[in-house]
Amino acid sequence: MMSVRDQANALNNSATRPNAKENATHLLKDVKNAVETIEVQDRKALYLLKCEDCEYTIQGKPIKISIESCKNLTIKVEGKVLTGTVDIWKSENVNLDFDRSVSVFQLDSIQTIMIKMPEAEYFGSMIWAGVDDITLNLGDETHSLSYRELQARNPELRPDTDQFKTTIIDGSIKTEAIVRMNDGYPMTRAEESSLQASEKKKDEVLRGAPRADDE
């Protein structure tokens, strides 16, 4: 399956399908010093590429939001992101404000990002790597995360390979290192142990169940 980033690059570099961007994506590219309200048609992805010193209010229901190589970007999202996916990479000083819940944020190689949501329950999870400073404003609570702090505790970490998953468990924010399952699905060590225990229990139940010819 093609990743979000590969899809975005394919749209950006396509020369044989000149209408691909228009048909599949609301693309904002190489925009500077803009303050605008953008209406995104339902079932279109919003993709911002190389935008700088811009402030956008996003209306409508984008299927997803992707941000690449942007700097000093402020976005207020008033509608629902249909897939609940927001993907950001190679950017600096990004400020995001959401009215609705987001299932997963995917962050990679970012210098300073702030994410604001009305309540902690609106925040699903965040998979990230190589992000210098993250501020999560969730209702009345503010949480700060930093790759530098994690690396200070574990100097063997590498920003180009090591990923982390941040979630809220029992009202507390928790960040754990990620391992990749055989199918590529990102999972923390705790989630992997829980899954293995669950699968072991299912296997024990199945092996203990009487067979039809034994009855």
Side-chain angles (χ1 to χ4, degrees), residues 13-173:
N13 296 325
S14 175
T16 59
R17 294 182 296 148
N19 294 322
K21 299 173 190 175
E22 182 178 352
N23 292 338
T25 303
H26 190 122
L27 176 66
L28 299 172
K29 180 180 178 182
D30 294 322
V31 183
K32 297 184 184 298
N33 302 304
V35 179
E36 296 184 55
T37 296
I38 304 295
E39 179 76 26
V40 180
Q41 295 180 16
D42 291 0
R43 313 307 299 180
K44 280 195 174 186
L46 175 63
Y47 177 32
L48 296 95
L49 174 64
K50 297 180 181 178
C51 296
E52 187 172 335
D53 299 315
C54 294
E55 183 175 341
Y56 292 110
T57 298
I58 306 301
Q59 298 178 341
K61 296 179 181 179
I63 191 169
K64 63 185 176 185
I65 296 176
S66 299
I67 299 171
E68 178 185 3
S69 301
C70 292
K71 183 177 180 181
N72 301 329
L73 181 67
T74 297
I75 297 180
K76 167 71 173 176
V77 182
E78 295 183 343
K80 180 180 181 180
V81 181
L82 293 179
T83 62
T85 300
V86 177
D87 190 30
I88 309 168
W89 65 99
K90 294 181 181 178
S91 295
E92 179 180 347
N93 191 28
V94 176
N95 296 279
L96 305 174
D97 187 353
F98 293 88
D99 284 348
R100 308 286 185 89
S101 60
V102 175
S103 300
V104 58
F105 292 93
Q106 300 181 50
L107 314 179
D108 188 9
S109 302
I110 301 172
Q111 295 182 29
T112 309
I113 183 169
M114 188 277 289
I115 298 171
K116 182 179 180 181
M117 312 194 84
E119 302 289 344
E121 64 186 19
Y122 284 53
F123 176 84
S125 64
M126 182 169 65
I127 297 172
W128 58 283
V131 184
D132 287 343
D133 291 291
I134 303 171
T135 300
L136 295 177
N137 291 326
L138 306 177
D140 296 329
E141 297 185 358
T142 298
H143 306 275
S144 297
L145 305 170
S146 172
Y147 177 80
R148 288 192 301 257
E149 293 180 4
L150 294 174
Q151 191 176 46
R153 296 197 295 266
N154 185 355
E156 295 182 358
L157 292 177
R158 295 179 55 187
D160 56 336
T161 58
D162 290 300
Q163 288 185 306
F164 304 91
K165 184 175 183 179
T166 297
T167 53
I168 296 177
I169 301 176
D170 297 328
S172 299
I173 196 161

Side-chain angles (χ1 to χ4, degrees), residues 199-211:
E199 291 178 343
K200 181 179 179 181
K201 186 175 181 179
K202 288 181 181 178
D203 183 60
E204 290 174 348
V205 170
L206 291 173
R207 285 189 286 110
R211 294 180 300 179

